[in-house]
Amino acid sequence: LTGTNQPGIVSTNQIIADDGAGGRATNAFTATIVSDAANNSQPILYPDTLTNLVAAVNGRLTNYISALDLDGNTNYFFTYFYDYASYVNASNTVYVITNGQMKISLIPATGYAGPIRMSFFVSSAANWSVYYENNLDPNIYPWPPYDARAITFAIGDTKLSAFASNFTARAGIPFTNQLLATFTNGVPNSAATNFTAFINWGDNSTNSGTIQTNVSGRKEVRGAHTYFTPGVFPVYVTLQSRLGAESNVIAVATVPPAVGLTRSNTNNVFRWPAWADSYQVQSLTNLTSTNWLTLTNAPTPGGYDYVLTNASTQTSLFFRLRK
């Protein structure tokens, strides 16, 4: 898909929302491309430039922060400690601006072990800090455009290495103790209680995970949840150690859709949600067998569903959707 940046182009965009349980809504909006030469666009902090986040006690961490301003304005960087403890334990940190890039050399207090939490900002306005530090009401004093990022540095810690574990669940059926991820931190026999896990289940619900050590010495993140509708959901798992090291992984939860079956003369008519285009209908004459056969005729779109019609004169058949 290639877009255009030429002013004056008009397009109509249609949006269809489907909750997978029979609720659907359709709406449309018209977009017109206009020149924004008179607007000051928000600068953008480049992602993943702050990568040196874990150090031994008395170690230093050096990172470079860059930003892009689409209007070509000068970038001004601002840094703040998230809390007083972070300031006290890293007050000697050094910042240098060179060629539009900020170099930060984080210097922890001697003997300190734990998290250092900081916030980084970039703006095209040299006086942006006035708005932030005085907490000015943006409805009265509109803030200049800016971008922000919160970072936790871990001193006296080791990096977390995590791997996601995909799984399948059934709609409307609660599950518990589901494996979502495994991880190591480079310290054999470290206590599972040194870590926490936060889970975003991908359906607007969150909770905390439990962490345990398996027989191979790896840490496991497990969780409990209920998906009320079918779909494919990204499960975001955020791990954090007591000293501040963090890691994020994304598992995939597949909640298969249900297939509807009606009989029309000698035809079996199957219907399932159109988003599940990777599924196929399979049949079986005897549940004691494992020889499921895929129906070879292709489904056709029918509204928000796929519809497949298959002729059959047998009196005993079993069907399923299979990905």
Side-chain angles (χ1 to χ4, degrees), residues 20 171 230-231 255-261 270-273 275-276 279 305 320-321:
V255 184
V259 58
L261 172 61
F270 306 93
R271 183 180 292 269
W272 68 94
W275 62 262
Y279 286 79
D305 297 327
R320 72 177 184 183
L321 275 183

Side-chain angles (χ1 to χ4, degrees), residues 4-257:
T4 176
N5 60 0
Q6 297 301 315
I9 301 298
V10 179
S11 66
T12 299
N13 303 274
Q14 186 180 62
I15 298 177
I16 300 174
D18 187 339
D19 66 4
R24 300 184 180 95
T26 302
N27 212 328
F29 67 91
T30 300
T32 303
I33 298 175
V34 298
S35 173
D36 70 343
N39 299 318
N40 186 4
S41 300
Q42 169 189 331
I44 303 169
L45 285 168
Y46 282 110
D48 303 325
T49 57
L50 287 151
T51 57
N52 193 16
L53 305 179
V54 181
V57 173
N58 299 326
R60 296 188 177 191
L61 295 172
T62 299
N63 286 274
Y64 295 86
I65 305 172
S66 302
L68 171 68
D69 190 288
L70 297 175
D71 299 316
N73 297 318
T74 299
N75 289 320
Y76 296 93
F77 295 95
F78 307 88
T79 60
Y80 296 93
F81 290 99
Y82 183 80
D83 50 35
Y84 183 71
S86 294
Y87 166 73
V88 169
N89 290 298
S91 58
N92 292 325
T93 296
V94 177
Y95 315 92
V96 178
I97 306 295
T98 306
N99 298 325
Q101 183 181 59
M102 183 172 72
K103 175 183 178 182
I104 172 174
S105 298
L106 188 142
I107 306 174
T110 302
Y112 174 74
I116 300 293
R117 299 182 174 91
M118 301 184 69
S119 297
F120 297 89
F121 301 88
V122 63
S123 177
S124 56
N127 66 338
W128 180 87
S129 59
V130 173
Y131 296 81
Y132 178 80
E133 293 173 5
N134 291 281
N135 196 27
L136 298 180
D137 186 343
N139 295 316
I140 301 175
Y141 306 97
W143 288 33
Y146 72 96
D147 193 15
R149 186 155 298 132
I151 295 293
T152 299
F153 299 96
I155 307 302
D157 208 348
T158 55
K159 292 183 179 180
L160 302 179
S161 179
F163 306 89
S165 181
N166 301 332
F167 64 97
T168 300
R170 294 177 60 188
I173 306 298
F175 59 83
T176 60
N177 203 37
Q178 174 62 53
L179 178 64
L180 305 175
T182 59
F183 69 94
T184 59
N185 70 325
V187 180
N189 303 318
S190 56
T193 53
N194 288 343
F195 309 92
T196 59
F198 180 77
I199 306 168
N200 183 328
W201 293 98
D203 63 348
N204 293 325
S205 58
T206 61
N207 59 22
S208 296
T210 59
I211 298 176
Q212 61 189 47
T213 304
N214 62 25
V215 293
S216 66
R218 285 181 173 270
K219 301 295 185 294
E220 295 181 343
V221 180
R222 294 180 176 269
H225 187 54
T226 303
Y227 286 106
F228 291 99
T229 58
V232 179
F233 302 90
V235 181
Y236 301 89
V237 181
T238 301
L239 301 166
Q240 187 171 53
S241 79
R242 178 176 57 83
L243 295 178
E246 294 182 348
S247 182
N248 298 280
V249 293
I250 303 175
V252 176
T254 301
V255 184

